[in-house]
Structures are given as structure tokens and as C-alpha cells.
Amino acid sequence: MLKGLSFLLTILAVVSTDAHAKLKVGTTTEDLEALVKAVGAGEVQTFSVAKGTQDPHQIEAKPSYMVKFRDADLIVSQGLELEAAWLSSLIQGARNSKINSGAKGYLELGPQLDPIEVAKGSVTRAEGDVHPQGNPHFQLDPVRLGRAAVLVGQRLGELDAAHADLFRANAETVQKHLTEKLQDWQKRIDKTGIKEFASYHKTLSYFAVRFGLTNSLQLEPKPGIPPTASHIIEVMDEMKKRKVRVVLIENFFDDSVRGKLEKEIPAVRVIKVPVAVGGEPGITTNEGLIERLVAILEAAAK
Amino acid sequence: MHFRFGGEMILGRLWLLPLFCISVTALADGESHSSAGNLRTINVSANALFLYRNSNLAKEDVSTERNGLDIQEAELAFYADVDPYSRLNILLTVHPEYELNTMTNKVEQTYVVAPEELFAETSQLPSTIIKVGKIKAAMGKHNQLHAHGFPLTDAPLVNSVLLGAEGLSDVGISAAVLLPSKWFSEFTVQYLRGEGDNKEFHSETPGDGVGLAHWKNLWDFSDALTMEAGVSYAAGNNSIGGTASLAGADVTFKWRPAVGGKYHSWILAGEYLRRDLEQPGVAAEVGAGFDVWGQYQFAERWSAIARIDRLRIENSSPTVNAANALPNDTTRKYSVGLTFKATEFSSYRAEFNYADGPPAANGQTVERKMYIQANFVIGPHPAHTY
């Protein structure tokens, strides 16, 4: 009798442990991992594939990530083809039907966040490594991040109903906090007097649009194509004409054009900047990343 | 121009290929255009390899490997989810083959269209991918690569000589299980029917198949450095009344740092392969060898590569195995190459190799060969295999 009871209790303990096991959530970038951590608040285990110091377009599909994907309950991606070259290989290799595209365990955020720079008409690779469905780098827009937090919260709640209220409340808190911070960041950017900056790639488009800045000059002649001498001359001519004095180079790109820019454009500030959580030591949250960018602009204006 | 489909010469049916391509492209474009979204039916991509070759052994019209510019291979890939349970992959290749016409003593070029791989797969079983159809056998690491993914223009000697020009590939069934370990550990078993392009497994007895097992492991030593190690074994009956067996081992180190990895990385890899063919009445033919190669990416779009190949054949008997006997000798080959990867969709490679082995038809034992290769891809992003 006692043996039977002991066995029953053991089974119940195992089932109970399983029922309260934390959700395992994999994200394609550290930005999304930070967001999931903020919403999950200790009730989820997370990992990210791309590091904040890596170009997320160019990640290798390491089989070791397939092992993590095998055990995942949810994969969250930025989407809009940012991870097109490697994510499907990881999902297929994981052999985990829970995270297949279309399943509840797969969440692609980009298409649900009103992407900008959606291609009009048909585009071809002659225009570079284009993202026809829109720019996928929404991680630098606090408003879209807030909406992404809500989407993440909803999905976590669907997968773990016991904590659905907690996830929803956390997501709303994240969204509210980012919205409040938005006003402060806007004021500080306005105060710098900077109206326009150039960048290496279109990684900062959402940041620029959100804060009323112009970022139409890229050092890349076309997306995914490294700078050429003739294109840099064109960019410098435009910068001179439009009195653009700030160049932000995403820190996973080479800044070898710095010397030329500093020589040709008086008082230009060429700054390597983090564009992802984990992009620099100490940047561990989405808010911290945007805070860092705002501080960089403030320093550039001095 | 001659045109063949999968080995059967079909003259004057060249129109079939564009018709097929148009049909499939139409299907691929056949998305449902509703306000709710699009249904993507088929992914279509194509790859073309153009090759300039110059070898001191290859002379126009008297060799089956010509000097000059040629289409090395074109590959058409169609793949899609069939339904929630399965996925279909069709990879057709178009490549030239050369045959010496003994009547005219001239080499004639034939374009061959063949399924390089054509299989359905499912991952509905826990931790397992099942494939059915024509597949590249999981015999080592290089054998599973497609020509456009080769580290150098040509395959290592052990692969091209012991497994044939197209590698070990056949119709069969495959199960690849991801083992429940903390590191990546995959065990693959395959059964092939033994009637593919690979002569070593052409048993005269119908129904004789080939069994194959492959175990692949990968460890992350750090965010930057990984080590992959695999072992493989295959066995079946050969065409001369004995058994054929293959044994292989491979190891690959890859380094790409999380900071600056876009501009600098390296790979160091080696693969060993041995083939034993039983021959009635005489000792078994043994072919064994290895290749070791290293690649260093020194700029965003540039990388240099060097490879050493060695292959030894013993006891090959022209009397017992007349159709497929090999010269009993040792071949050493040294290759260097430089690759410019313009984008993910195009790359260019210059390569030089020096081989010292058994005498060719003209008695020379040394071959010096130069390749210039251009590689183009159209379609969706090519998957970054690891």
C-alpha cells in the first residue's frame, strides 16, 4: 500500500514538475531575447542564435543550435527575410514539429509591425540583397518594440496558460515604459540639432523615422554590397551638399572608410555604433540599446 | 548536340527541358492572391557553374576532359512543403559528358539531364528525418555536398576515384536521428538499392542493396570554434561476385569569431576513405586515401584555400574486374585556390593543382591543371550550410 502511494506521489511530482516547466524560447537575435526575457520575467528560459556583434543576415546554421531548437517550445524571429539564409536550416535540422512555420511554436514578428521600406512593384537582386516585404531591423524603434512585446506576451500566454496574465501584464509594462521613454529620447535628440546622418546599411531606418531624422545615405551602394570608391565619393558629395556631419557605422561592419570621410569632410563624426542588444558590453536590454544610441548622438553634437 | 535524360540518349527532345521549367515556374508563381495573404507553393532556384580548364594532359579531341571554357553544371532545385507532414525536394542537374567516338576519333559532347537528388522527407517522427527517393549517401562529409558547394573546383581524389564522379548517390531510404545529447550528435542509417551510378555496388543479384551508417558529432569549443567529427561505413555486394565495403572518417574545425567574423574566419578539415572490393580468386582490391584542406578568409569577400590529396590503389585486377580496374599506384595531388565571393549569389574562383600519379595515355605521370570557375545562383537565399 505504502509502495503504491509512494509510486503515485512520484508520478504526480513528475507530472507536476513538467506542468510547471519553464517555456524554452529561442530567438534569432539578442534584441528579441531581451524582449522575451522582459515579458517572460523568470518564467521562460531563453537563448539567442545571433550575437549582438554579428551581422544577423550572415549567421551560419551551426548544428549546435539545432540541438537547442530541438528542445524549444517557441522560436521568435524578426522575419521579413532577415534570417532567410539560416533559420529554415536550423528549424528543419531540429526535427521539432512544434516550431515549424505555421505552428504555434513559431512567431515571426516583423510582418505584424507595419514594416517600412516595403518594395513597390517587383524587385530583383540587381538592387542588392533587398527585403521586398520591408526593412526587418525594427529593433531600434521603441514603439514597434512595445507592440512586439505585446505579441510575444500573447504567444507566451497561449503556450503557458497558467502564466498568461503575468505575460500580458509584463508586456503592457514593457510597452508603457518604452512609450514613456520615447518622449525623453525625442527631446534629447531634438536638442542635439542633428537632423540627418549617414549609415553603412539600412539598419537604423526605423530609429531615424521614429525620431524624425533622415537616414537616406548609406555607405553600401546597394544592400549587402560593400562600399566602392565611386559610391563613397557620391555619398561624400551629398553629405557636403546637405551638411551631414554624422556617420553611424553599425559595429559589425568594417570602418575602413573612416579615414577618407574624416579627410574629405570637415568636422565629420564617424562613429561605430551598436545596433543590437549585446552589441557592446553592458547593453543587455532594448531600452539600454536605444539609450546608448541617443547618448552617442548627444556626444556627436558636442 | 546530343541530349540525354538520366542516361538514355534522347535526340531532338531538348524542348522538354524549357517546357518543364516553364510548367514548374508557373506552378511556383501560382500563388493564391487573396487579401488574406499568399500561399507559396514551390520554391524554385537555379545554380550555374561555368568552368575554364587547362590541363597539360587534356588535348582537344583526344581526351575525354577538354581544355577550354565549358558549362560545368547547372542545377535546378524545386522544393516545398507538400502538406503539414512532408516536404518534396527535386534537384535536377544539367551537365556535359564527353565520349570518344572511336569511328571519328573525336570527342563528342552530350548534355545530360538527371535527378541529382529527388526525395520526399518528413520530420513527423520524434527527433528523426526520414527521406525516401534518390539521395546523396551520408558517406563522409564531402559526398553530401553539391558541386557548387565544393571547397575547391573538383572533388577530393578519394571521392572522385573511389565513389565515382558523381559520388555515392542512389535511390533508397534514410533515417537521420538527432540523439538526445547536449552536443549535436546525429546517427544516420540508409538503405540504398545498389543500382545507382556507383559501379562498386552493382550486384548481379537483383534486390541486393547497400547498408550505410553515419555518425556525425559537433562540439562548440567556444562561440567561435567548433569541431565536427564523423565516421561512416557502407557495405553491399559488388558487380564481380564479392562484397564491397566503404569506411570513412572526417574531422572539421571551423573558427569564425563573434566580433569581426564577417571579415576573418578559417576552416581546417580532413577526410579519410577506404574501399575494399572482394575479387573472386584473388586478393581484395583496396583503395584508400585522404585529403586535408585549409581555408582562410582574409577579407569580407576573399578567401584562400589549399588542399593535399593522397590515394593508393592495391590489388586491382584487370582480369577479374575488367570493366572497372584501376591502376595500382599512389597518386598525390596538391591544390591551391583563391575565391572572390561577390555576393551570396555569385562567386569566382581561380585554382591550380599538381598531381603525380599513374601514367596517363600519353605516358606522362604529372598533371598540372588550372581552373577558373564562376558560380551563379538565382532564386531564394541559398541556405548557409555549416
Side-chain angles (χ1 to χ4, degrees):
Chain A
M1 176 69 184
L2 277 174
K3 272 187 182 176
L5 188 62
S6 167
F7 177 72
L8 189 63
L9 287 172
T10 306
I11 294 291
L12 281 173
V14 169
V15 170
S16 170
T17 304
D18 190 52
H20 290 99
K22 289 180 181 177
L23 286 176
K24 291 175 184 158
V25 183
T27 62
T28 56
T29 62
E30 286 199 69
D31 304 286
L32 299 184
E33 185 186 16
L35 201 65
V36 172
K37 273 184 181 168
V39 175
E43 295 300 331
V44 295
Q45 289 177 14
T46 61
F47 66 89
S48 166
V49 177
K51 303 278 176 289
T53 52
Q54 292 177 304
D55 179 356
H57 302 85
Q58 300 285 337
I59 301 300
E60 290 176 308
K62 269 193 215 177
S64 40
Y65 287 115
M66 293 174 189
V67 175
K68 292 186 172 179
F69 275 42
R70 174 193 65 193
D71 302 327
D73 299 298
L74 174 65
I75 298 297
V76 185
S77 74
Q78 297 204 186
L80 302 172
E81 298 191 359
L82 177 70
E83 306 95 342
W86 48 274
L87 184 58
S88 59
S89 298
L90 292 180
I91 289 175
Q92 280 178 43
R95 286 152 255 219
N96 175 0
S97 56
K98 282 193 294 188
I99 58 168
N100 284 344
S101 178
K104 202 173 268 187
Y106 179 73
L107 176 60
E108 185 180 351
L109 291 168
Q112 304 181 63
L113 299 173
D114 300 323
I116 61 173
E117 297 169 4
V118 178
K120 289 178 183 140
S122 57
V123 289
T124 73
R125 298 278 181 219
E127 291 158 63
D129 193 2
V130 288
H131 295 273
Q133 296 161 24
N135 186 319
H137 306 288
F138 63 80
Q139 77 273 10
L140 299 177
D141 176 3
V143 173
R144 284 183 174 82
L145 273 174
R147 287 163 56 194
V150 171
L151 292 169
V152 167
Q154 284 170 355
R155 186 59 60 91
L156 290 176
E158 289 170 26
L159 292 168
D160 180 1
H163 294 97
D165 291 342
L166 173 72
F167 297 142
R168 188 175 55 248
N170 288 342
E172 285 168 1
T173 304
V174 169
Q175 188 177 34
K176 190 173 169 221
H177 184 64
L178 287 169
T179 308
E180 286 167 2
K181 284 293 293 181
L182 180 66
Q183 293 166 8
D184 171 52
W185 287 327
Q186 184 70 65
K187 277 182 198 163
R188 287 162 61 192
I189 289 172
D190 290 345
K191 207 173 166 185
T192 64
I194 294 170
K195 301 286 181 203
E196 184 172 5
F197 65 89
S199 63
Y200 190 104
H201 180 72
K202 290 190 169 184
T203 319
L204 291 131
S205 296
Y206 284 97
F207 179 82
V209 169
R210 179 57 59 200
F211 293 108
L213 302 167
T214 301
N215 175 218
S216 59
L217 293 173
Q218 271 72 45
L219 302 182
E220 287 178 327
K222 290 176 179 176
I225 307 295
T228 58
S230 59
H231 179 69
I232 292 298
I233 290 169
E234 284 174 25
V235 170
M236 290 191 303
D237 287 345
E238 279 299 309
M239 286 178 67
K240 286 174 191 168
K241 267 189 223 166
R242 287 146 68 167
K243 297 192 181 351
V244 178
R245 293 292 178 265
V246 176
V247 180
L248 304 182
I249 296 181
E250 300 89 326
N251 65 2
F252 41 75
F253 290 118
D254 178 61
D255 65 346
S256 55
V257 296
R258 174 194 295 274
K260 196 165 188 61
L261 291 166
E262 288 176 344
K263 186 178 168 193
E264 298 291 329
I265 303 175
V268 72
R269 300 293 305 273
V270 182
I271 307 160
K272 285 192 94 168
V273 296
V275 288
V277 171
E280 270 184 7
I283 300 179
T284 57
T285 63
N286 306 96
E287 180 190 334
L289 174 64
I290 298 172
E291 177 66 34
R292 175 81 178 111
L293 285 174
V294 173
I296 285 170
L297 287 180
E298 288 178 321
K302 286 176 186 168
Chain B
M1 182 185 291
H2 301 290
F3 214 81
R4 292 192 304 165
F5 278 78
E8 292 281 331
M9 179 93 62
I10 300 174
L11 297 174
R13 292 199 182 174
L14 194 58
W15 54 272
L16 281 172
L17 180 66
L19 189 65
F20 177 70
C21 294
I22 290 166
S23 304
V24 175
T25 306
L27 277 171
D29 291 339
E31 298 173 345
S32 70
H33 296 285
S34 72
S35 57
N38 292 331
L39 173 66
R40 174 164 289 183
T41 49
I42 300 181
N43 292 295
V44 181
S45 66
N47 170 268
L49 290 171
F50 301 100
L51 185 67
Y52 172 79
R53 177 196 296 116
N54 195 306
S55 161
N56 63 310
L57 293 187
K59 301 293 180 191
E60 193 73 23
D61 292 340
V62 293
S63 164
T64 54
E65 193 178 60
R66 280 186 189 177
N67 280 345
L69 185 64
D70 211 338
I71 296 168
Q72 184 186 353
E73 182 187 272
E75 189 178 279
L76 302 170
F78 312 99
Y79 51 99
D81 291 331
V82 176
D83 53 31
Y85 313 109
S86 56
R87 181 179 171 86
L88 186 65
N89 298 270
I90 303 173
L91 278 94
L92 302 177
T93 59
V94 183
H95 62 272
E97 282 190 357
Y98 305 100
E99 286 180 38
L100 184 64
N101 184 329
T102 51
M103 302 290 285
T104 62
N105 200 34
K106 285 185 180 295
V107 171
E108 291 180 351
Q109 188 179 54
T110 307
Y111 279 98
V112 176
V113 181
E116 187 166 356
E117 289 195 281
L118 202 169
F119 60 89
E121 63 181 329
T122 179
S123 52
Q124 289 299 303
L125 291 179
S127 299
T128 306
I129 295 176
I130 304 281
K131 291 181 183 177
V132 180
K134 187 176 184 194
I135 50 178
K136 282 186 169 288
M139 187 66 225
K141 189 169 170 69
H142 185 88
N143 189 62
Q144 299 180 63
L145 300 177
H146 292 262
H148 56 83
F150 285 5
L152 281 159
T153 302
D154 49 9
L157 274 176
V158 284
N159 289 78
S160 58
V161 176
L162 300 182
L163 302 182
E166 304 301 322
L168 185 61
S169 166
D170 200 355
V171 174
I173 183 164
S174 168
V177 182
L178 193 54
L179 300 178
S181 54
K182 287 190 175 177
W183 72 95
F184 178 87
S185 185
E186 181 186 61
F187 191 74
T188 304
V189 287
Q190 297 182 330
Y191 176 81
L192 309 171
R193 60 178 185 163
E195 294 174 14
D197 297 329
N198 310 96
K199 306 282 190 295
E200 60 271 21
F201 288 122
H202 272 200
S203 168
E204 290 179 340
T205 308
D208 274 357
V210 181
L212 186 150
H214 175 69
W215 186 28
K216 173 182 168 180
N217 293 274
L218 184 133
W219 295 272
D220 282 354
F221 291 154
S222 67
D223 282 341
L225 182 64
T226 60
M227 185 183 96
E228 178 185 331
V231 287
S232 320
Y233 182 79
N237 289 329
N238 63 31
S239 57
I240 48 176
T243 59
S245 67
L246 296 166
D250 60 87
V251 62
T252 306
F253 292 91
K254 287 192 180 185
W255 177 80
R256 183 183 290 280
V259 178
K262 195 174 171 68
Y263 300 91
H264 300 284
S265 66
W266 57 254
I267 303 171
L268 184 62
E271 184 159 0
Y272 170 83
L273 194 61
R274 176 185 168 114
R275 187 183 76 178
D276 289 67
L277 291 182
E278 276 186 0
Q279 304 177 114
V282 295
E285 177 196 302
V286 178
F290 66 86
D291 69 274
V292 176
W293 59 275
Q295 177 179 295
Y296 180 60
Q297 180 200 351
F298 57 89
E300 183 177 3
R301 303 201 279 184
W302 289 93
S303 60
I305 184 167
R307 186 174 74 197
I308 298 169
D309 284 80
R310 187 182 187 280
L311 172 66
R312 181 160 182 78
I313 305 293
E314 291 175 338
N315 306 326
S316 189
S317 171
T319 52
V320 178
N321 190 11
N324 299 302
L326 296 168
N328 290 304
D329 207 335
T330 299
T331 306
R332 295 173 183 83
K333 188 173 169 186
Y334 307 92
S335 310
V336 290
L338 186 66
T339 302
F340 174 71
K341 192 174 174 185
T343 66
E344 284 184 76
F345 303 92
S346 67
S347 63
Y348 307 86
R349 174 185 290 150
E351 181 184 330
F352 174 78
N353 64 52
Y354 170 98
D356 184 0
N362 61 7
Q364 289 189 59
T365 59
V366 170
E367 181 177 26
R368 295 178 186 83
K369 204 185 308 186
M370 188 183 82
Y371 289 123
I372 298 174
Q373 185 193 55
N375 183 353
F376 301 97
V377 183
I378 53 176
H381 265 279
H384 294 179
T385 51
Y386 193 75

